[in-house]
């Protein structure tokens, strides 16, 4: 059990079982230990819940040491003693072994806010020693926080980012056989077939499929008729004069098949004056 030191403020809690001489002797001993600059205060065990104890006022608190009480400390008593203790103060108490037991007393002291709790059992009694944490309720302290800009890796040069080397490619990313495997036989056949020339293709003129200009009907040994091809606005010129309009360029000519090449005379190609 830690002894009070000079200048300490001590709270001693006496039980109804204590004799007056025992109380007087305990107070005398404590006053000698704390000296003239210290203080010793006496409170009764059965009146502990009714008296006022200034918060954080005592360096040492002893309860039940003069004589062991007949009952255990209640939760309210333990909370009041813990509140009255200074930061880092020592709290010592003794009580009979009850149904709460050793572990129950240790838990009750811990829940009251005390630390370093040690409970011992001896001759049917429990002796507990603990301390008040080294800080007061509502205490504050500054924290050193580093809010500086976090260090980041140096950004690579923009030119280096766009530089491509052979090591940047994986062989699995390249096409096999330059992509020839992606073409089937039909694609290869289309690629090897040259498109046929139509009427507008330079060189020897050949009639295209579905020819509508009359080149397909022209004799093979005669040159194709050249010259302007009159366009029909009504679409009935090939039926004959009965179906032709007054300004039809085919007026006076026999009927012909649709798409048949018709040769107009120079007179017919000139407008009437």
């Amino acid at each position: 059990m830690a002894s009070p030191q000079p200048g300490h403020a001590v709270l001693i809690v006496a039980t109804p079982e204590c004799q007056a001489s025992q109380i007087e002797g305990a107070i005398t001993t404590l006053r000698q230990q704390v000296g003239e600059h210290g203080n010793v205060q006496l409170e009764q065990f059965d009146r502990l819940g009714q008296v006022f104890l200034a918060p954080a006022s005592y360096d040492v608190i002893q309860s039940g040491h003069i004589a062991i009480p007949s009952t255990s400390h209640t939760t309210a008593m333990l909370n009041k003693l813990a509140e009255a203790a200074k930061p880092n103060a020592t709290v010592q108490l003794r009580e009979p072994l009850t149904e709460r037991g050793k572990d129950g007393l240790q838990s009750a002291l811990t829940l009251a806010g005390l630390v370093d709790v040690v409970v011992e059992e001896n001759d049917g009694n429990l002796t507990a020693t603990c301390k008040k944490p080294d800080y007061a309720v509502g205490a504050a302290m500054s924290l050193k926080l580093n809010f500086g800009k976090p260090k980041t890796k140096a950004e690579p040069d923009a030119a280096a980012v766009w530089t491509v080397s052979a090591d940047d490619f994986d062989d699995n990313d390249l096409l096999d056989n330059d992509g020839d495997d992606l073409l089937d036989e039909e694609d290869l056949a289309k690629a090897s077939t040259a498109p046929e020339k139509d009427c507008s293709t330079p060189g020897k003129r050949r009639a295209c499929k579905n020819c509508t200009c009359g080149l397909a009907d022209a004799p093979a040994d005669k040159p194709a008729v050249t010259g302007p091809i009159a366009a029909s606005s009504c679409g009935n010129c090939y039926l004959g004069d009965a179906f032709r309009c007054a300004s039809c360029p085919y007026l006076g000519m026999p009927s012909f098949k649709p798409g048949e090449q018709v040769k107009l005379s120079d007179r017919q190609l000139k407008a009437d004056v």
Side-chain angles (χ1 to χ4, degrees):
M1 183 174 63
S3 301
Q5 301 299 317
H8 277 179
V10 180
L11 173 64
I12 182 171
V13 181
T15 62
E17 290 78 11
C18 296
Q19 301 294 328
S21 57
Q22 294 176 316
I23 296 175
E24 184 178 354
I27 292 176
T28 300
T29 302
L30 292 172
R31 284 177 177 173
Q32 291 175 354
Q33 293 174 345
V34 300
E36 61 180 358
H37 298 291
N39 180 37
V40 178
Q41 181 176 342
L42 174 66
E43 295 294 345
Q44 294 296 328
F45 183 86
D46 54 350
R47 294 178 55 84
L48 193 59
Q50 302 175 9
V51 298
F52 171 77
L53 299 178
S57 301
Y58 304 98
D59 299 287
V60 178
I61 297 177
Q62 297 178 354
S63 178
H65 282 274
I66 300 176
I68 299 177
S70 58
T71 58
S72 59
H73 295 78
T74 63
T75 301
M77 291 180 178
L78 296 178
N79 291 337
K80 176 167 286 192
L81 295 178
E83 184 180 358
K86 292 181 179 180
N88 205 32
T90 301
V91 178
Q92 304 164 342
L93 56 88
R94 296 171 65 189
E95 66 178 35
L97 180 61
T98 59
E99 295 181 355
R100 179 166 63 180
K102 178 180 177 180
D103 294 338
L105 177 58
Q106 184 172 1
S107 298
L109 291 170
T110 302
L111 293 175
L114 301 173
V115 297
D116 299 334
V117 181
V118 177
V119 180
E120 297 178 352
E121 180 181 351
N122 187 16
D123 297 333
N125 298 318
L126 297 176
T127 302
T129 303
C130 49
K131 297 181 71 65
K132 181 76 174 287
D134 192 14
Y135 54 83
V137 177
M141 63 178 299
S142 60
L143 299 177
K144 295 181 179 180
L145 301 178
N146 185 13
F147 291 104
K149 184 178 181 180
K151 296 181 179 180
T152 57
K153 295 182 179 180
E155 296 183 359
D157 187 11
V161 173
W162 294 103
T163 301
V164 181
S165 63
D167 297 334
D168 295 333
F169 297 96
D170 188 357
D171 293 341
N172 296 329
D173 297 335
L174 302 179
L175 296 176
D176 296 334
N177 299 327
D178 295 334
D180 292 341
D181 296 340
L182 300 179
L183 302 176
D184 53 20
E185 295 180 359
E186 183 179 356
D187 296 329
L188 295 175
K190 292 180 179 179
S192 61
T193 302
E196 297 182 354
K197 294 183 178 180
D198 57 11
C199 301
S200 60
T201 303
K204 184 178 179 181
R205 302 188 64 187
R206 296 172 52 189
C208 61
K209 188 177 181 180
N210 300 327
C211 178
T212 59
C213 66
L215 183 61
D217 299 332
D221 55 347
K222 294 183 180 179
V225 178
T226 59
I229 301 175
S232 172
S233 61
C234 62
N236 298 325
C237 299
Y238 70 95
L239 297 176
D241 289 343
F243 300 91
R244 294 168 183 164
C245 55
S247 60
C248 180
Y250 297 100
L251 191 64
M253 299 184 64
S255 60
F256 53 88
K257 297 180 180 180
E260 182 180 359
Q261 183 72 28
V262 179
K263 184 178 181 182
L264 301 178
S265 63
D266 293 338
R267 184 187 63 79
Q268 291 174 317
L269 293 176
K270 294 180 181 180
D272 294 334
V273 178

